[in-house]
Amino acid sequence: MNANEIPSKANARLSRIKKISRILQFCVVVYFFAPLVVIVFNLKRVHLANGMISIFNHPYASTEHIPNVMFVLSGAGLLAYFLGVSAFLRLLNLYEKGVFFSAANVSQIKKLSGCMAGYGILAVAANVVYAGGIVFPLVLLDGLACPWIVAGAAVYIVAWIMDEGRKIQEEQELTV
């Protein structure tokens, strides 16, 4: 077997990863900014369906009917969303640079998982506010079944596994 074959296969795979990372970064940015552009250019024609305003999938007839705490939860949810998109774009940027199993990757994945779980916690809190009070067993079940919290926990576990694998690899490289 020729020793030059392996690097050419590895280079082809690396270039595919870089290409897909760039494409995915572009798609995330377009997905992120496209609704804003549509709103800016069609501001006079934008109509809310049936005059309803929705925060965390809870409809309100007008802004006067929205409790102040929902505005706070909505702002915190937007912050979690922006931070999550930022962490995901940084992770894709690391992949594009050819950095796959590093502490920087693990850090970005953990940030992404934290944003996902945080958004889920905010959604559960919004459900409590919308319901007008806390009914502990229902809120607990809602929190356990919240897809954002479950996905955030799963992504965090993947980050932990990657970090442990990275540590094992570093230990093996130091072993003579």
Side-chain angles (χ1 to χ4, degrees):
M1 180 190 251
N2 189 352
N4 292 332
E5 270 185 60
I6 296 172
S8 66
K9 287 181 183 180
N11 286 336
R13 289 182 178 141
L14 185 59
S15 66
R16 277 191 306 229
I17 290 171
K18 288 179 180 183
K19 182 179 176 182
I20 294 298
S21 293
R22 276 188 233 116
I23 291 169
L24 195 53
Q25 283 178 0
F26 176 76
C27 291
V28 168
V29 169
V30 167
Y31 179 78
F32 185 70
F33 287 110
L36 299 176
V37 171
V38 169
I39 289 172
V40 168
F41 288 113
N42 294 317
L43 195 56
K44 293 180 182 176
R45 291 183 272 175
V46 172
H47 300 287
L48 297 172
N50 302 326
M52 301 295 282
I53 299 169
S54 178
I55 296 180
F56 284 107
N57 295 323
H58 299 300
Y60 293 95
S62 67
T63 55
E64 293 85 30
H65 295 103
I66 302 173
N68 289 336
V69 70
M70 285 299 267
F71 284 115
V72 172
L73 291 172
S74 178
L78 257 152
L79 179 65
Y81 177 74
F82 288 133
L83 292 175
V85 168
S86 174
F88 186 62
L89 288 173
R90 286 184 189 136
L91 181 64
L92 291 174
N93 192 25
L94 288 170
Y95 289 155
E96 185 180 350
K97 291 178 181 176
V99 180
F100 301 108
F101 300 103
S102 70
N105 286 59
V106 171
S107 173
Q108 293 306 318
I109 293 171
K110 285 182 179 179
K111 286 177 187 175
L112 179 60
S113 71
C115 290
M116 292 170 72
Y119 186 85
I121 291 168
L122 291 169
V124 171
N127 290 345
V128 170
V129 170
Y130 188 74
I134 188 163
V135 181
F136 185 71
L138 295 177
V139 171
L140 184 62
L141 288 175
D142 191 31
L144 292 175
C146 179
W148 287 105
I149 295 174
V150 172
V155 170
Y156 187 85
I157 291 169
V158 168
W160 175 77
I161 291 170
M162 284 182 64
D163 196 32
E164 291 300 312
R166 181 188 60 80
K167 290 175 186 175
I168 290 170
Q169 184 179 10
E170 285 176 0
E171 288 175 4
Q172 287 178 347
E173 288 173 357
L174 295 174
T175 305
V176 177

